[in-house]
Amino acid sequence: MKIKRYFRTRVIPLFGIGLIFILIVWRNVPSSKKVLKREINETVIGQMFGIQTFEDIACVKFQGRLGNLMMEYVFLYVIAKMKHLYPVVPENFELFQIFNIEKTTLAAIGKPPDSCAKLPEYKERWGLSYDEKLLAVPPYMSVKFDGYFQSWKYWIKYENEIRKLLRFKNPIRQKAFTQMRDIIEKMKFEVNKENVIVSIHIRRGDYATEGHYEYGKLTPNETYYANAMQYFKTRHKNVLFVVGSNDIDWSKEALVKEKNVYFSTGNSPAEDIALLSLANHTIMSVGNFGWWIGWMAQGTSVFYKNIFRPQSNFSLEFRNNSIDDFIYPGWIPVE
């Protein structure tokens, strides 16, 4: 009885006091530290971007669809590495579902949601050319950027690292491998040194509208795709063409005379990139969606050389009317 009474009168009250003390301490720990341990690996992020604190940040105005978001994220990643900054991404960033990228949000380091809005802004001068002034920002200084950053020149020195960064999550990768295997079996195609798979991305949609044409954006017609396909047919014994498009009906009509063509449907944009990038070589249309397919495939890429209408507003997005900063080195122009 004495033991029970001691336990009730001494141990339980002490335990309660200890629990209250722990809760008080926890409530007074800065929220940034509590969230930091749960959301990101402080050591990994520090080593990745060469930072010891999380005070200096880099922000980008994320805009556009998947291809744009990839360009913008890669620019942010590289500028953060070069300038030793914490790269801020949105809380519900679309790329979290596609690639294994770090969730470097503002909440993860306890900063308020409007932290980026207060920073000095650097805006790119050309939407599809390299702007060296963006890299002139001092290190260890918080900054935000506005643009699309559609040039390989921003990150070419980190290309191998970027390839690892933009590795699709397993469910997307596995679905793409399964789809490509099923396509090969369905088309009764044997892949070897003489027989190759060429993916074709056909972008229509917004690019085929009158407003985009007036702005100066051009999209290829049937002749381009016929010429691009012929480029590969003259260099390989047998070619299987796998087509992805945001206008499959137009694509089927445009390629109706072609043989050995498979039209992929039902995929999400990320699944389409993953599938088409498994090909040996690629045929691009316009825009950065097809650009990423060609870059990921790492084979021969053919692109539409007439990207913009001369003297149009869109032509001003290219420095000195040159496409060299946008088109990856070694790609083949066709019209």
Side-chain angles (χ1 to χ4, degrees):
M1 294 298 291
K2 291 182 178 180
I3 294 176
K4 290 183 179 180
R5 189 182 305 113
Y6 179 83
F7 188 80
R8 286 197 305 269
T9 59
R10 298 292 182 86
V11 175
I12 292 179
L14 286 174
F15 176 78
I17 292 171
L19 182 59
I20 292 171
F21 176 77
I22 292 172
L23 290 173
I24 291 173
V25 171
W26 173 249
R27 286 173 62 87
N28 284 278
V29 173
S31 59
S32 61
K33 294 186 180 296
K34 289 188 287 188
V35 177
L36 189 61
K37 292 181 179 179
R38 187 167 62 248
E39 295 291 338
I40 62 173
N41 187 314
E42 183 176 357
T43 302
V44 170
I45 299 300
Q47 293 176 347
M48 189 178 295
F49 299 102
I51 53 180
Q52 295 180 344
T53 68
F54 296 87
E55 292 303 315
D56 302 316
I57 63 176
C59 305
V60 159
K61 180 183 177 182
F62 284 100
Q63 53 194 326
R65 293 180 287 191
L66 179 57
N68 295 118
L69 296 179
M70 292 169 65
M71 288 283 185
E72 291 153 10
Y73 178 73
V74 169
F75 171 83
L76 174 66
Y77 179 88
V78 169
I79 200 74
K81 288 184 70 73
M82 295 173 63
K83 304 301 178 179
H84 308 292
L85 304 171
Y86 176 85
V88 175
V89 295
E91 291 295 326
N92 298 311
F93 196 27
E94 181 179 336
L95 300 192
F96 289 157
Q97 308 302 319
I98 301 170
F99 306 107
N100 291 308
I101 61 177
E102 298 290 339
K103 296 183 178 181
T104 53
T105 65
L106 287 170
I109 55 173
K111 285 187 175 291
D114 63 346
S115 296
C116 292
K118 304 173 183 178
L119 301 178
E121 182 178 81
Y122 286 73
K123 185 176 177 61
E124 68 178 4
R125 290 177 288 176
W126 309 278
L128 289 108
S129 290
Y130 175 73
D131 188 350
E132 67 278 358
K133 285 190 175 182
L134 297 182
L135 304 185
V137 299
Y140 303 104
M141 185 190 83
S142 294
V143 65
K144 65 179 176 181
F145 298 91
D146 183 9
Y148 290 94
F149 321 110
Q150 298 176 97
S151 175
W152 52 272
K153 288 186 175 181
Y154 287 119
W155 45 265
I156 191 65
K157 293 180 180 179
Y158 298 88
E159 185 170 20
N160 291 336
E161 190 171 341
I162 299 303
R163 290 195 182 279
K164 295 177 182 178
L165 187 71
L166 297 182
R167 183 178 174 85
F168 290 104
K169 286 192 168 184
N170 281 335
I172 297 176
R173 291 177 58 237
Q174 291 305 318
K175 181 177 181 179
F177 281 123
T178 299
Q179 284 184 325
M180 186 60 80
R181 182 196 62 204
D182 292 346
I183 292 169
I184 292 171
E185 291 180 358
K186 183 175 182 178
M187 300 298 290
K188 296 180 172 58
F189 191 79
E190 181 181 353
V191 181
N192 54 43
K193 291 183 179 180
E194 296 182 327
N195 302 342
V196 299
I197 301 173
V198 176
S199 64
I200 306 177
H201 175 248
I202 299 179
R203 179 167 180 178
R204 301 282 296 171
D206 56 345
Y207 259 78
T209 62
E210 184 177 346
H212 275 66
Y213 177 78
E214 291 179 353
Y215 183 64
K217 293 183 177 181
L218 301 177
T219 189
N221 58 20
E222 298 92 330
T223 302
Y224 163 72
Y225 294 108
N227 293 339
M229 295 168 81
Q230 187 62 31
Y231 176 90
F232 289 103
K233 287 189 284 187
T234 58
R235 288 164 173 78
H236 302 281
K237 185 176 181 180
N238 294 298
V239 182
L240 169 61
F241 296 99
V242 179
V243 179
S245 175
N246 59 355
D247 192 341
I248 285 293
D249 291 338
W250 185 94
S251 302
K252 288 181 176 179
E253 185 177 344
L255 306 183
V256 66
K257 297 180 181 179
E258 300 289 346
K259 298 179 180 179
N260 251 20
V261 180
Y262 181 89
F263 295 91
S264 173
T265 59
N267 279 340
S268 69
E271 290 167 345
D272 255 346
I273 294 181
L275 171 65
L276 298 178
S277 64
L278 292 179
N280 302 109
H281 309 293
T282 54
I283 294 173
M284 301 164 48
S285 53
V286 287
N288 50 35
F289 191 93
W291 193 102
W292 283 115
I293 294 170
W295 180 78
M296 288 182 169
Q298 299 188 68
T300 298
S301 288
V302 167
F303 70 93
Y304 183 52
K305 66 182 295 184
N306 302 314
I307 296 178
F308 59 85
R309 190 160 46 83
Q311 299 181 339
S312 65
N313 288 333
F314 188 45
S315 69
L316 301 177
E317 299 290 340
F318 297 84
R319 186 180 202 170
N320 300 323
N321 287 329
S322 172
I323 62 175
D324 292 345
D325 287 359
F326 175 66
I327 296 299
Y328 189 81
W331 288 358
I332 311 298
V334 172
E335 58 183 342

